[in-house]
Amino acid sequence: MSAFTAVDVIRAKRDGGVLTDAQIDWVVDAYTRGLVADEQMSALAMAILLRGMSAPEIARWTAAMIASGERLDLSTVARPTVDKHSTGGVGDKITLPLTPLVAACGGAVPQLSGRGLGHTGGTLDKLESIPGWRAALTNDEFLRQLGEVGAVICAAGEALAPADRKLYALRDVTGTVEAIPLIASSIMSKKIAEGTGALVLDVKVGSGAFMKSTEDARELARTMVELGGTHGVRTVALLTDMSTPLGLAVGNAVEVTESVEVLAGGGPADVVELTLALAREMLDAAGLPDADPEAALRDGRAMDAWRTMIRAQGGDPDAPLPTAHEVEVVHADADGFVASIDAYAIGVAAWRLGAGRARKEDPVSFPAGVVLRKRPGDPVRAGEPLFELRAEHAGRIPAARDEAAGAVRISPSAPAAKPLVIERIG
Ligand code: URA
């Protein structure tokens, strides 16, 4: 007989109480083992969403999720380990240039990534557009590559925080994803279990992000930074703007192409700015403050690390990437300046074109996506191209066109420039 019942734990939180360590340990473990039913965990997740959790409750909940699976030991890796996590956005391909860049500067980046769901893309989906590249590595392959190359981007194994995998799927279908204690513990349990020594969080704010307001993003960032500290992982967070897509490319293969441009020393200014800002934070957190990521981009060391990283996972960095058969160009209907480009609308349009998935079992289209031809602040004339919709099948275009209609706002005068990095928490 267990000392607890799920109903007592649900009632305690429903009535605004603070769960004890023993209650948290029990309910997370029992849910992972199937002893607490989905409907009971759904009720508890909703009670947490409505009532919140104290800092000690969140720390214990996170520890229980870590304890539900294995915790990787990276102590055999000679270089300092440091990872980055983004809360997800539109056109957010930063992991692709950032991981080899930090490796080229002396860090080891153990990037265990996921696939996209809904309007935000997934790093693994993007990389899988490279012929031959494989996301699944054994723990031994992962450790070997991390030690030898300093850069690994691969799928998180089933054994890492299994409580989170089960709970996240449940939250997705019960309207409980938005609870800050649950988001923070979900992200941090996976990152802490992965074994990284330091972590930089890119917490996105704006229409294309989970967090629509700076206040919510700040609370999430503070909660995660504190959790990192409690668990011995040096953690800092940047709040960054996600009201506009990052860069010009939104999709899979198109984002790989843009990332390679950044690694070649070019690419859109905002992608370069954020890549460098996060690289500096990661190198500082890893105890490598004298490394010069700008030089590593300029002199080709980051590109060399990229090519080695892609080859190590079976990919051919020189192979042509898939291209779309169907391309529709959307034109400006007025003269003026691009005032804003709505990240959410562009993200949904890319998803409708096939770049993203509605259910986690769905395949993605590698060449599909949106390619912007203008950025906020650019002058524009009526009839000039604003963006391209790319798809494998023409039938995908009309729904994407509807979603993207109105995403680009044109005004008679130039808009004020918005900072990309809004705040640093750490
Ligand atoms: N990403 C995660 O990994 N978990 C959440 O709860 C939300 C975003």
Side-chain angles (χ1 to χ4, degrees):
M1 266 289 282
S2 138
F4 302 102
T5 70
V7 176
D8 288 340
V9 179
I10 296 164
R11 282 198 186 116
K13 187 44 77 182
R14 181 199 65 190
D15 297 341
V18 173
L19 302 181
T20 64
D21 289 353
Q23 281 176 318
I24 291 173
D25 293 350
W26 174 79
V27 81
V28 171
D29 175 63
Y31 177 60
T32 310
R33 292 192 294 129
L35 304 177
V36 165
D38 275 349
E39 56 271 26
Q40 294 176 310
M41 192 48 122
S42 309
L44 181 57
M46 185 59 82
I48 291 170
L49 183 137
L50 297 173
R51 293 293 197 169
M53 272 180 154
S54 66
E57 279 179 297
I58 301 174
R60 190 69 182 206
W61 188 275
T62 306
M65 300 238 284
I66 296 167
S68 72
E70 70 177 4
R71 188 169 176 170
L72 297 182
D73 176 5
L74 306 184
S75 61
T76 54
V77 178
R79 309 173 186 211
T81 54
V82 57
D83 197 6
K84 186 262 324 189
H85 179 81
S86 156
T87 56
V90 176
D92 184 2
K93 72 276 299 170
I94 301 292
T95 294
L96 276 57
L98 180 64
T99 302
L101 173 59
V102 171
C105 294
V109 186
Q111 197 27 263
L112 298 180
S113 294
R115 295 176 193 282
L117 195 61
H119 74 280
T120 60
T123 298
L124 301 182
D125 296 325
K126 295 171 199 187
L127 285 169
E128 278 175 346
S129 63
I130 300 173
W133 187 86
R134 72 190 163 93
L137 297 184
T138 64
N139 281 0
D140 284 347
E141 288 173 325
F142 169 77
L143 277 174
R144 195 173 331 117
Q145 185 174 329
L146 190 61
E148 288 172 5
V149 184
V152 190
I153 305 175
C154 68
E158 299 280 307
L160 210 77
D164 177 64
R165 186 164 301 110
K166 207 171 163 193
L167 181 56
Y168 192 39
L170 188 70
R171 288 166 54 214
D172 205 27
V173 294
T174 55
T176 51
V177 167
E178 291 82 356
I180 286 178
L182 296 179
I183 299 175
S185 54
S186 165
I187 292 172
M188 293 305 287
S189 62
K190 287 175 285 201
K191 289 290 155 182
I192 295 164
E194 156 197 292
T196 188
L199 178 64
V200 175
L201 299 162
D202 180 3
V203 180
K204 303 283 188 199
V205 193
S207 77
F210 252 129
M211 297 289 130
K212 309 291 180 204
S213 77
T214 307
E215 291 69 35
D216 283 350
R218 191 179 290 130
E219 185 185 338
L220 176 62
R222 285 200 178 125
T223 308
M224 293 195 289
V225 167
E226 205 173 308
L227 278 174
T230 305
H231 289 274
V233 178
R234 280 183 308 285
T235 305
V236 297
L238 298 184
L239 302 194
T240 71
D241 182 56
M242 187 29 73
S243 51
T244 305
L246 260 175
L248 296 169
V250 180
N252 297 305
V254 288
E255 291 198 35
V256 173
T257 301
E258 190 166 275
S259 302
V260 172
E261 283 166 16
V262 171
L263 288 160
D270 60 335
V271 180
V272 176
E273 180 189 340
L274 189 54
T275 303
L276 286 172
L278 289 165
R280 287 191 196 103
E281 292 291 350
M282 288 171 76
L283 292 163
D284 259 4
L288 299 165
D290 297 330
D292 184 352
E294 221 168 332
L297 273 188
R298 219 177 24 240
D299 63 21
R301 277 178 292 144
M303 178 68 98
D304 290 344
W306 160 264
R307 294 171 65 81
T308 309
M309 174 183 86
I310 295 300
R311 278 208 194 92
Q313 287 169 247
D316 176 357
D318 298 314
L321 297 176
T323 52
H325 303 296
E326 304 294 333
V327 179
E328 180 171 300
V329 181
V330 175
H331 298 92
D333 56 8
D335 292 348
F337 291 85
V338 175
S340 59
I341 303 178
D342 182 50
Y344 180 72
I346 296 294
V348 175
W351 173 27
R352 297 268 186 264
L353 291 164
R357 51 171 71 77
R359 292 171 314 150
K360 64 181 190 317
E361 309 73 39
D362 295 344
V364 298
S365 161
F366 294 128
V370 178
V371 177
L372 303 176
R373 303 273 287 268
K374 296 281 178 194
R375 296 280 310 160
D378 286 352
V380 63
R381 293 209 156 275
E384 266 192 284
L386 288 178
F387 55 86
E388 294 170 17
L389 303 170
R390 299 187 182 184
E392 285 182 90
H393 306 289
R396 292 276 196 172
I397 302 264
R401 190 194 301 132
D402 288 349
E403 288 294 346
V408 180
R409 213 166 49 78
I410 296 175
S411 65
S413 53
K418 277 171 85 173
L420 181 55
V421 178
I422 300 165
E423 199 169 309
R424 179 184 188 278
I425 293 173

